[in-house]
Amino acid sequence: MYLLIVFLGIVILKFVLNLSRLIGTLIMFKIFQNQPKNIAQYCPFVTSLFNSAGTQQIILSATRASGINQAQRDYISNSLSRQDTRSELETIFQKTIGVYKFRMLQTINPFYWLFLPKFILEDFNVVLPKVGQTLLNLFYWVIGFVGTYFLEKYLDAHFQDFFQHIIDMLP
């Protein structure tokens, strides 16, 4: 029972986190499309959203100092006010929105949780052969079943009369 509550808490937390990031991205995209004069102040917000989604890109920008052209590397999210990156920024905003929608759907997909080790390895760019992935998933499932069994035994042994005691205390 407690394991289910913890699991649901994690699912809800992950869903709400990605929902809030999605809403933030949609708001920043709308601000970007309107191009207000103070758009540069939104760069840190956009940088954070792009970094969290993994859609951040580094671009080269040419600057002229003392009559010499110099190339600088910078995050694309820091160029919200530049017209030459507008099309690329719109594409990255769309990708970021897609990432957060995908993560929200993934959160409520039971197969995501069944094959969680595979997705964790993908997040860290670790490549295992199919046999290794299968063995890792089997190990994950066995640990889950054994952990659930012993948790139930522990709760039965230590909290057997817990709820009855609470009911007896009520007037």
Side-chain angles (χ1 to χ4, degrees), residues 82-148:
R82 291 179 39 195
Q83 292 302 316
D84 59 330
T85 59
R86 187 166 176 81
S87 171
E88 195 172 351
L89 270 166
E90 286 183 7
T91 302
I92 293 173
F93 267 111
Q94 293 296 337
K95 286 181 182 178
T96 305
I97 290 168
V99 165
Y100 291 130
K101 285 181 179 180
F102 175 73
R103 288 181 183 173
M104 288 170 53
L105 291 173
Q106 202 177 33
T107 302
I108 57 175
N109 182 355
F111 291 107
Y112 171 78
W113 297 101
L114 283 174
F115 300 104
L116 185 61
K118 174 187 170 220
F119 296 116
I120 291 173
L121 290 176
E122 286 176 0
D123 285 344
F124 289 108
N125 295 324
V126 176
V127 179
L128 286 179
K130 284 286 189 190
V131 174
Q133 288 180 2
T134 303
L135 290 175
L136 184 63
N137 275 328
L138 285 173
F139 179 72
Y140 168 71
W141 293 338
V142 167
I143 292 295
F145 288 129
V146 169
T148 303

Side-chain angles (χ1 to χ4, degrees), residues 9-29:
I10 291 170
V11 169
I12 291 168
L13 182 66
K14 182 176 172 153
F15 186 85
V16 169
L17 175 66
N18 285 299
L19 177 64
S20 66
R21 288 178 176 166
L22 174 65
I23 292 169
T25 304
L26 292 170
I27 291 169
M28 289 298 119
F29 188 41

Side-chain angles (χ1 to χ4, degrees), residues 21-74:
R21 288 178 176 166
L22 174 65
I23 292 169
T25 304
L26 292 170
I27 291 169
M28 289 298 119
F29 188 41
K30 192 66 159 172
I31 290 170
F32 168 73
Q33 288 175 327
N34 293 337
Q35 283 292 308
K37 289 183 181 184
N38 63 347
I39 191 146
Q41 74 182 5
Y42 297 104
C43 290
F45 300 108
V46 175
T47 300
S48 175
L49 291 167
F50 286 179
N51 285 340
S52 295
T55 56
Q56 182 69 271
Q57 291 183 0
I58 295 178
I59 59 167
L60 293 176
S61 60
T63 58
R64 189 166 178 98
S66 303
I68 300 172
N69 287 337
Q70 294 179 340
Q72 289 182 319
R73 294 168 47 115
D74 198 6

